[in-house]
Amino acid sequence: MTDLALVPDGGMPWLDASGPNSDLVLSTRIRLARNLAGRPFWGRNSPEDREAIVTTIGAAAQDMPALADATMYRLDAVSIATRRWLNERQLVSRELAGLDAAGRVRSGAVLLLGRSASAMINEEDHVRLQGLRSGFALESAYGVTDRTDRELGARVSFAFHPEFGYLTACPTNVGTGLRASVLIHLPALVLTKEITKVLQGLAQVGLTYRGLFGEGSEALGNLFQLSNQTTLGKSEAELLDHLGRMVHQVMAYEERARTALRRDASAALEDKAWRAWAVLKHARTLSFEETVDLLSGVRLGVGLRILPDVPLYSLNRVLVLAQTAHVAEAAGLSLDADAIPEHRAAFVRRMFEEVGHQ
Amino acid sequence: MTDLALVPDGGMPWLDASGPNSDLVLSTRIRLARNLAGRPFWGRNSPEDREAIVTTIGAAAQDMPALADATMYRLDAVSIATRRWLNERQLVSRELAGLDAAGRVRSGAVLLLGRSASAMINEEDHVRLQGLRSGFALESAYGVTDRTDRELGARVSFAFHPEFGYLTACPTNVGTGLRASVLIHLPALVLTKEITKVLQGLAQVGLTYRGLFGEGSEALGNLFQLSNQTTLGKSEAELLDHLGRMVHQVMAYEERARTALRRDASAALEDKAWRAWAVLKHARTLSFEETVDLLSGVRLGVGLRILPDVPLYSLNRVLVLAQTAHVAEAAGLSLDADAIPEHRAAFVRRMFEEVGHQ
């Protein structure tokens, strides 16, 4: 894993809770899907095609200010532990990391990782540019991604249709190729069971949601990734503006639900928060699922000043560092070691000690 | 409740963990069932009969060294809160306290409560003499009860049959009228699932078990009351000797199961103990059932030196003081108040603070 020690900020500045509304929104992610003109799309392209794409994008990136500090990781040449590690940091998709049901990493799968922007090469599209920001920061995340896109577009030729816009492997991404998503913590809406109505409302206005771990994952720890569903027929500004307004609305709902819980179920709320705190601080074995569930209770309890203060950055880091590949690496264990839940619990206890709560 | 403030030692010296094997055995109880000659048994006696029994036993008790310090509580003249309170201290049966399904206390229901011995008048038998001792102490518990029995027998005439022995309302008590029971904590046998076999074995040798709260109650908190099933055809010494040997055997099984758990499931055991400790220390609402269940985990953890030391006396007291009538009285609430689980949790937290674990 030595190569990854060089990842700028461990690839986690987006978790540092420095951004706007960090109490509710952990991070904002912008993704732009792009394909090179004249090259077959994924599904029809060959290993040679994919290698040529790596060469083209890699050469362009060397010359791009936005990716000047980027390092290239060939996912097709690293262990599954390293691929899981990168996926756990939300730096590469499960698909690119070869962690899907098939479980094989494709040739030409590459991550270009810079401090503020990154690019996945040979994912579903030839290149997917990504910008991740702490907190609720659509403009700044889009700003850096747009800059990367413009710099890359000045050096290579994208598949583009004058009427439809950018062409992509999957029709749902045609147009802007933009996916904007916001990772938001909605425990009160879950506790009051209003979440179903809220999510249904979002679907009606063209937004969708996924869990922390992407499509099909449950809303573990009451964390929801809210994002735009389609990209065709709308401008980037319209998509971002629409998502932004809806997220503001959801935050207001969550705050209202918190106030209601505080008023009507204060004992139950305090109990939930303190139990989560107590178990995280003292358990000797923890599954990742339970850890994330308990973190949600602590996060809510800290937010409502029920619990002693814990920096959000510390809580956010656990979301990444308590995942299996991270625990295994820190403890020098294999990914399927029986002792991982014990080491996870020990790591979480140390976190509480480090922030001064023993 | 002012009258009960005068109960010697709050009626709880049997919980002080001063007796032998107090880590496993909380208390030993001896009960002798006696009936007055020439008076109808319970089920066929009238309020006047029962009043006459109270008068006869009460007068005799005044003159008995064994009950010299005893106070008389007329259960038929006190509130349900007081009756539950006495039952929670294990000083009166549910039946005498009128807490059965019928929920009515019978006329003439009386408790004579002294520091070392007590008597329930007009329970199933005219009088049931009781001795309770801390730890595994069959001889000393029997000693004090036997003394009370001899003193009372010298002053009143018991229903006695030269062939069968003492006559009782229920045939299962005929003979010695003796029930000896030991309240024992068997968490490791429950965890290893060996408990079923152990209890079946006890049944085969004429012993029976109940939960903490008597017949029909589940083994809440892994606490079992082991006792002799019948009393006919055996001497007191034989019954006590037999129970004593069997309890020694069960303690050995429990210790063996603890050793096996420590060896084979140490992480799971530590996790269970620490979680129980954490939740008891931090929860903001607790049901009594959960409290007893968690206490079992803490008791085991302290016994195995997994957890910081907590005096057994403190843990034992929670078994009584966290029950509903005690919590309600301490908080000035009615028995059915919604806030009782919150006050129970606050009481348990204070217990941890008092023993220095904040």
Side-chain angles (χ1 to χ4, degrees):
Chain A
M1 197 71 59
T2 40
D3 54 331
L4 289 168
L6 304 171
V7 175
D9 291 344
M12 296 205 299
W14 54 278
L15 276 179
D16 72 2
S18 62
N21 304 101
S22 279
D23 53 334
L24 293 187
V25 177
L26 281 77
S27 61
T28 301
R29 174 196 305 264
I30 296 287
R31 173 268 276 162
L32 291 170
R34 298 291 184 258
N35 289 273
L36 300 182
R39 290 264 170 213
F41 284 179
W42 165 247
R44 286 177 295 128
N45 64 19
S46 65
E48 292 70 29
D49 287 326
R50 295 200 289 274
E51 216 48 60
I53 293 166
V54 172
T55 307
T56 305
I57 307 280
Q62 300 237 333
D63 182 39
M64 287 164 55
L67 289 171
D69 65 351
T71 312
M72 181 182 280
Y73 297 99
R74 288 215 62 124
L75 298 172
D76 53 3
V78 297
S79 69
I80 183 161
T82 300
R83 286 181 274 128
R84 279 194 65 166
W85 192 96
L86 287 167
N87 176 250
E88 289 178 358
R89 296 215 163 187
Q90 308 265 314
L91 298 171
V92 297
S93 61
R94 289 182 64 80
E95 186 176 349
L96 194 72
L99 302 173
D100 278 350
R104 291 227 328 257
V105 62
R106 68 185 61 142
S107 72
V110 161
L111 167 68
L112 272 175
L113 180 61
R115 183 175 296 265
S116 60
S118 67
M120 293 193 285
I121 303 178
N122 288 313
E123 216 254 17
E124 188 180 283
D125 294 292
H126 292 169
V127 59
R128 287 186 157 191
L129 306 173
Q130 284 202 127
L132 256 172
R133 279 293 177 273
S134 167
F136 183 28
L138 283 166
E139 281 186 29
S140 114
Y142 180 70
V144 67
T145 320
D146 179 48
R147 179 182 155 211
T148 316
D149 178 44
R150 281 185 281 107
E151 290 179 7
L152 183 59
R155 287 160 179 84
V156 303
S157 197
F158 290 141
F160 186 86
H161 185 283
E163 191 181 344
F164 299 140
Y166 292 102
L167 299 179
T168 54
C170 175
T172 57
N173 294 317
V174 168
T176 59
L178 169 74
R179 179 154 219 159
S181 62
V182 159
L183 182 60
I184 187 167
H185 185 229
L186 303 174
L189 288 174
V190 172
L191 281 172
T192 59
K193 303 198 195 318
E194 293 169 89
I195 190 70
T196 313
K197 220 170 47 188
V198 169
L199 295 175
Q200 282 168 353
L202 291 178
Q204 283 170 3
V205 296
L207 300 184
T208 186
Y209 76 97
R210 301 177 299 168
L212 176 58
F213 299 100
E215 245 155 300
S217 75
E218 303 236 335
L220 205 60
N222 304 315
L223 291 167
F224 297 82
Q225 290 197 57
L226 308 182
S227 64
N228 60 310
Q229 196 148 20
T230 53
T231 77
L232 188 65
K234 294 236 175 73
S235 73
E236 289 83 352
E238 283 169 335
L239 290 169
L240 295 176
D241 178 62
H242 180 58
L243 177 66
R245 277 185 292 114
M246 291 303 118
V247 170
H248 271 297
Q249 190 72 62
V250 171
M251 289 197 292
Y253 290 149
E254 170 68 17
E255 294 290 5
R256 201 182 57 188
R258 290 183 181 202
T259 304
L261 284 174
R262 213 50 177 125
R263 187 186 60 225
D264 304 332
S266 133
L269 201 63
E270 292 187 9
D271 189 53
K272 186 182 169 63
W274 276 108
R275 282 174 184 247
W277 160 277
V279 174
L280 280 181
K281 267 180 71 179
H282 293 292
R284 259 53 187 176
T285 85
L286 282 170
S287 72
F288 181 65
E289 288 68 22
E290 185 182 12
T291 305
V292 175
D293 184 46
L294 295 172
L295 274 175
S296 173
V298 169
R299 196 179 177 93
L300 178 61
V302 169
L304 293 176
R305 296 172 191 278
I306 291 169
L307 297 177
D309 196 38
V310 180
L312 289 176
Y313 180 43
S314 299
L315 297 178
N316 290 352
R317 283 173 74 231
V318 176
L319 283 178
V320 170
L321 301 182
Q323 288 185 71
T324 297
H326 278 80
V327 173
E329 194 221 351
L333 297 169
S334 69
L335 289 175
D336 57 356
D338 288 339
I340 284 180
E342 291 166 52
H343 285 274
R344 178 179 293 115
F347 161 73
V348 173
R349 287 202 306 281
R350 277 199 305 279
M351 183 278 283
F352 275 99
E353 282 165 23
E354 281 163 14
V355 300
H357 301 301
Q358 305 204 9
Chain B
M1 196 71 58
T2 40
D3 54 331
L4 289 168
L6 304 171
V7 176
D9 291 345
M12 296 206 299
W14 56 277
L15 275 181
D16 73 3
S18 62
N21 304 103
S22 279
D23 53 333
L24 293 187
V25 178
L26 281 76
S27 61
T28 301
R29 174 196 306 262
I30 297 288
R31 174 267 276 161
L32 290 170
R34 297 291 183 258
N35 291 273
L36 300 182
R39 288 265 171 211
F41 284 178
W42 165 246
R44 286 176 296 128
N45 64 19
S46 66
E48 291 71 30
D49 288 325
R50 295 198 291 273
E51 215 49 58
I53 294 165
V54 172
T55 306
T56 304
I57 308 280
Q62 299 236 333
D63 182 37
M64 288 164 54
L67 289 172
D69 65 350
T71 311
M72 181 181 281
Y73 297 99
R74 288 215 62 124
L75 298 172
D76 52 3
V78 297
S79 69
I80 183 160
T82 299
R83 286 181 275 129
R84 280 194 65 166
W85 192 95
L86 286 166
N87 175 251
E88 289 179 359
R89 297 214 163 189
Q90 307 265 314
L91 298 172
V92 298
S93 61
R94 289 181 64 80
E95 185 176 349
L96 194 72
L99 302 172
D100 279 348
R104 290 227 328 256
V105 61
R106 70 186 58 143
S107 72
V110 161
L111 168 68
L112 270 175
L113 179 62
R115 184 175 295 265
S116 60
S118 67
M120 292 194 286
I121 303 178
N122 287 313
E123 216 254 17
E124 188 180 282
D125 295 292
H126 293 169
V127 59
R128 289 187 155 190
L129 306 174
Q130 284 203 127
L132 256 173
R133 280 290 177 277
S134 167
F136 183 28
L138 283 167
E139 282 184 29
S140 114
Y142 180 70
V144 66
T145 319
D146 180 47
R147 180 182 155 211
T148 316
D149 178 44
R150 283 186 281 107
E151 290 179 6
L152 182 59
R155 287 163 179 82
V156 303
S157 196
F158 290 142
F160 187 84
H161 185 281
E163 189 181 345
F164 300 138
Y166 293 101
L167 300 178
T168 54
C170 174
T172 57
N173 293 318
V174 168
T176 59
L178 170 74
R179 178 154 222 158
S181 62
V182 159
L183 181 61
I184 187 168
H185 185 228
L186 303 173
L189 288 174
V190 172
L191 282 171
T192 60
K193 302 199 198 315
E194 295 169 88
I195 190 70
T196 313
K197 221 169 46 188
V198 170
L199 295 175
Q200 283 168 354
L202 292 178
Q204 283 170 4
V205 297
L207 301 183
T208 185
Y209 76 96
R210 301 176 299 168
L212 176 59
F213 298 100
E215 246 154 300
S217 76
E218 304 236 333
L220 204 62
N222 305 315
L223 290 167
F224 297 82
Q225 290 198 56
L226 308 182
S227 64
N228 60 309
Q229 196 148 20
T230 54
T231 77
L232 189 65
K234 292 235 176 73
S235 73
E236 288 84 351
E238 284 169 335
L239 290 168
L240 295 176
D241 179 63
H242 180 57
L243 178 65
R245 277 184 292 114
M246 291 303 116
V247 170
H248 270 297
Q249 192 71 62
V250 172
M251 289 196 293
Y253 290 149
E254 170 69 16
E255 293 292 2
R256 201 182 58 190
R258 289 183 182 203
T259 305
L261 284 174
R262 209 58 175 120
R263 187 187 61 227
D264 305 332
S266 137
L269 202 62
E270 292 187 8
D271 189 53
K272 186 182 168 63
W274 276 108
R275 283 173 185 247
W277 159 278
V279 173
L280 279 181
K281 268 179 70 179
H282 293 292
R284 259 53 186 174
T285 84
L286 282 170
S287 73
F288 181 64
E289 288 68 22
E290 184 182 14
T291 304
V292 176
D293 184 47
L294 296 171
L295 273 175
S296 173
V298 169
R299 195 178 178 94
L300 179 62
V302 169
L304 293 176
R305 296 173 191 279
I306 291 168
L307 298 177
D309 195 40
V310 180
L312 288 176
Y313 180 44
S314 299
L315 297 178
N316 289 353
R317 282 174 73 229
V318 175
L319 283 178
V320 171
L321 301 182
Q323 288 185 70
T324 297
H326 279 79
V327 173
E329 194 222 350
L333 296 169
S334 67
L335 290 175
D336 58 355
D338 288 340
I340 284 180
E342 290 166 54
H343 285 273
R344 178 179 293 115
F347 161 72
V348 173
R349 289 201 306 281
R350 276 198 307 278
M351 183 278 283
F352 275 98
E353 280 166 24
E354 280 163 14
V355 302
H357 302 302
Q358 305 204 8

